[in-house]
Each structure stands twice: as C-alpha cells, then as structure tokens.
C-alpha cells in the first residue's frame, strides 16, 4: 500500500496503517538517529518518540504530505532537543540568527536554532584542548598571540588547533546538509 493511502487510513486512527508505516520506516529512523547518537538505547528511544508524535499528530497530516520528509524533520528535532538541554547559548547562535534574512518565517528560525545547537554539539565533541583554544578564540575573541601566552603554547599551535576545529565543523555541517 502506498504512503498516501496509509496516511489517509492513519488519519482515521487505523492502527494497522500505523503499524504498516512503522514497519516500513522504523529502520530508516533508527539508522539516521545512530548517525548522531552514540547509544543504541538513545536511538531506539528516538524511534519510539518519532512514531508516538506521528500517532499524536495524525489528525493534522495531509494525504499528499511527504511522509519520509516528515519523519526526518521529527527525528532531527528530537535529536537536537536531546542535546539542547545540555548546551549553552554562545557566539554561534547569534551568528546563525543574525545571518538570516530579516524576513524569515518560524520554520527557518527553528532550523537556525537547530543548526546552532548542532554546532554546539560538534564543538563539545572536539578534544578538550582544541575546544578550549577554539572557545578562547571564538567566544572570548582572544587573538592567537593572547591564547598562546595564556596557555603557554606557540601561536602556530593555536593556529593549527583552530584550523583543525574549523575543518571538523565544516565537514560535519556539510554532512548534515546531505540529509536536508
């Protein structure tokens, strides 16, 4: 049965249609979650939450909606929400928001916030010393020379660490773009 037919039945609270959609897509949701979550349990929890949200929002679904796209958006938001609790506001959130056009809608604002949270997550994944150097440069606006003096390292080391951090961020942000 096609997705649009299953969505129509789902809107009528048909549990068999829900089960069919679950069986058809749970693995894709799980695999996508595993890209960003380290634990199997966390990914399984996201799968459960995604399908709970699908069931709870079935009345608002349209038969012509792209179901796979909806699954991706819900999954992505749940993953970001898990990390949002532990992340602090910083320079990147302000940069992402200010870079947006003045006439943006709510969806773009949410996407910018999610991207900013994702950047925070990536920064937290950097090795501790690289993260410290990167934060001194980007959050505290210290020069390479100031950082080198503060940490008793060479300016070249600071430059290399910043360069590696930026490469890591660019690589992972471009990987995210493949899923959008």
């Amino acid at each position: 049965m096609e997705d649009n037919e299953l969505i129509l039945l789902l809107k009528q609270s048909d549990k068999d249609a829900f089960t069919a959609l679950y069986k058809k897509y749970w693995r894709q949701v799980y695999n996508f979650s595993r890209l960003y979550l380290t634990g199997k349990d966390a990914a399984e929890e996201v799968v459960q939450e995604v399908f709970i949200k699908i069931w709870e929002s079935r009345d608002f679904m349209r038969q012509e909606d792209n179901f796979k796209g909806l699954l991706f958006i819900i999954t992505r938001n749940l993953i970001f929400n898990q990390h949002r609790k532990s992340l602090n506001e910083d320079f990147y959130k302000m940069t992402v928001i200010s870079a947006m056009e003045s006439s943006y809608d709510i969806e773009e604002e949410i996407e910018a916030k999610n991207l900013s949270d994702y950047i925070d997550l990536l920064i937290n994944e950097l090795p501790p010393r690289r993260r410290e150097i990167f934060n001194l440069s980007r959050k505290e606006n210290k020069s390479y020379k100031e950082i080198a003096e503060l940490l008793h390292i060479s300016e070249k080391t600071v430059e290399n660490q910043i360069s590696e951090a930026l490469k890591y961020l660019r690589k992972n942000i471009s990987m995210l773009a493949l899923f959008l």
Side-chain angles (χ1 to χ4, degrees):
M1 194 175 292
E2 295 293 322
D3 286 355
N4 58 356
E5 296 171 47
L6 291 170
I7 290 171
L8 183 61
L9 292 171
L10 180 65
K11 287 177 64 68
Q12 299 166 7
S13 299
D14 185 308
K15 292 178 181 169
D16 292 332
F18 175 79
T19 301
L21 287 167
Y22 178 86
K23 286 179 178 178
K24 186 173 181 180
Y25 290 108
W26 78 268
R27 184 167 299 283
Q28 290 176 13
V29 172
Y30 176 80
N31 289 338
F32 179 74
S33 299
R34 288 288 289 161
L35 291 173
Y36 299 99
L37 301 171
T38 54
K40 236 172 83 171
D41 293 338
E44 289 172 356
E45 186 176 321
V46 166
V47 171
Q48 289 176 356
E49 288 182 46
V50 165
F51 283 95
I52 287 169
K53 288 203 179 290
I54 291 293
W55 179 258
E56 290 173 345
S57 62
R58 66 190 180 278
D59 294 333
F60 304 106
M61 296 174 93
R62 295 178 308 204
Q63 190 173 0
E64 65 276 2
D65 283 347
N66 176 349
F67 189 73
K68 286 175 80 169
L70 179 63
L71 281 176
F72 165 75
I73 291 168
I74 293 171
T75 305
R76 179 194 65 189
N77 289 343
L78 286 170
I79 290 168
F80 287 142
N81 288 341
Q82 282 189 355
H83 296 293
R84 183 176 295 138
K85 295 172 189 167
S86 64
L87 300 175
N88 296 322
E89 294 294 323
D90 69 6
F91 172 77
Y92 296 98
K93 290 180 184 174
M94 297 309 297
T95 303
V96 171
I97 291 171
S98 67
M100 292 173 50
E101 295 179 21
S102 59
S103 60
Y104 57 85
D105 62 17
I106 299 284
E107 185 176 318
E108 288 173 330
E109 186 174 343
I110 291 169
E111 286 179 15
K113 175 88 169 98
N114 288 342
L115 177 58
S116 179
D117 290 343
Y118 182 63
I119 291 170
D120 288 341
L121 173 67
L122 292 175
I123 290 169
N124 282 338
E125 290 177 352
L126 292 172
R129 187 63 158 187
R130 184 171 296 157
R131 181 175 55 236
E132 178 184 21
I133 292 168
F134 188 80
N135 285 334
L136 286 170
S137 171
R138 296 309 195 258
K139 289 184 180 179
E140 297 184 25
N141 298 316
K142 294 199 180 296
S143 69
Y144 288 5
K145 182 177 181 176
E146 290 172 319
I147 296 168
E149 289 172 1
L150 181 69
L151 299 178
H152 307 290
I153 57 178
S154 72
E155 285 183 56
K156 190 67 175 167
T157 299
V158 172
E159 182 181 337
N160 289 338
Q161 290 297 311
I162 297 290
S163 175
E164 289 300 314
L166 290 173
K167 278 187 211 172
Y168 177 77
L169 292 174
R170 281 188 207 109
K171 175 185 167 204
N172 284 286
I173 290 170
S174 64
M175 283 178 48
L176 174 65
L178 294 175
F179 293 100
L180 296 178

